[in-house]
Amino acid sequence: MKLKKVALAIFATGLVLSSSVVSAADTKLADRTQGAGGVINFHGEVTIDSCEVTAGSKDADVNLGTWAVNYFDDHTETSPTEFKINVEKCPASVKKVAVLFDGTKDTNNSTLLKLNPVENSATGLGVKLYNDDQTTAIAPGEVSDTVDTVESGDEGKAELTFYASLAKTGSDAVTAGHVNAVSNFLMVYN
């Protein structure tokens, strides 16, 4: 019985406090000038049409090689390393595919993936991604160039080729150490 009285007292106190907060919020809103508004319509579509990323492309490791610190005295980035993402079992409605790369952006150069700050990590570098042409960079959060799907029986498939290199961030001196960066990716269709 005593517990019910305590719970009731706490509830009543919470009710009084929340009504004073609402009252304060109403006062702040009332002090503001309000003007004409409008309507924003959001639309989209949910579809079951998609391709499957092949098993070998889901969790890929790309070896960017071993580079001497003094290499970066005369170069801003390393030679690019090729990697591929393959999709299969695309329905007939999927004609084009692209990739949205995501990951932590370098704080000094937002066009690069930040190296994971682990013990004995290299500094002054990030990972730069390129489309198949090896000249058009893909910053984290951007979508790659599209690739047409190719019919294979009743399904479609596509192979998307990309390149990655180590690039100077432009602010810190390059120091020796481990290089590790991670990018998640999402497939983008049509």
Side-chain angles (χ1 to χ4, degrees):
M1 189 70 159
K2 191 173 187 178
L3 185 59
K4 282 186 178 180
K5 288 182 182 180
V6 172
L8 185 58
I10 290 172
F11 175 74
T13 303
L15 188 59
V16 169
L17 289 175
S18 65
S19 65
S20 64
V21 169
V22 170
S23 175
D26 289 343
T27 303
K28 289 180 183 178
L29 183 60
D31 291 342
R32 297 181 185 165
T33 302
Q34 299 175 25
V39 175
I40 299 173
N41 293 304
F42 298 95
H43 59 89
E45 185 176 346
V46 177
T47 178
I48 59 171
D49 294 340
S50 68
C51 305
E52 290 183 20
V53 176
T54 62
S57 298
K58 285 185 180 179
D59 295 312
D61 287 319
V62 179
N63 185 345
L64 298 176
T66 302
W67 301 88
V69 170
N70 63 0
Y71 175 85
F72 296 98
D73 292 344
D74 299 322
H75 301 88
T76 58
E77 69 182 271
T78 62
S79 301
T81 300
E82 180 184 272
F83 67 100
K84 297 179 183 288
I85 297 175
N86 292 288
V87 292
E88 60 188 4
K89 300 180 183 175
C90 299
S93 61
V94 175
K95 302 295 183 195
K96 295 183 177 294
V97 295
V99 175
L100 169 66
F101 289 101
D102 199 10
T104 304
K105 295 178 181 181
D106 184 81
T107 53
N108 298 312
N109 186 340
S110 64
T111 65
L112 304 177
L113 285 168
K114 181 179 182 172
L115 297 184
N116 292 335
V118 295
E119 189 175 339
N120 299 320
S121 179
T123 62
L125 297 170
V127 175
K128 191 167 192 174
L129 301 173
Y130 288 98
N131 282 297
D132 188 27
D133 63 8
Q134 297 185 47
T135 57
T136 309
I138 311 167
E142 291 184 358
V143 177
S144 72
D145 290 344
T146 60
V147 173
D148 293 333
T149 58
V150 177
E151 286 187 33
S152 176
D154 293 339
E155 303 168 342
K157 63 181 181 177
E159 180 174 80
L160 297 95
T161 303
F162 302 102
Y163 291 85
S165 65
L166 287 174
K168 292 170 74 171
T169 61
S171 63
D172 299 328
V174 174
T175 62
H178 300 293
V179 170
N180 185 305
V182 175
S183 176
N184 296 313
F185 70 91
L186 295 173
M187 300 309 299
V188 179
Y189 303 106
N190 293 339

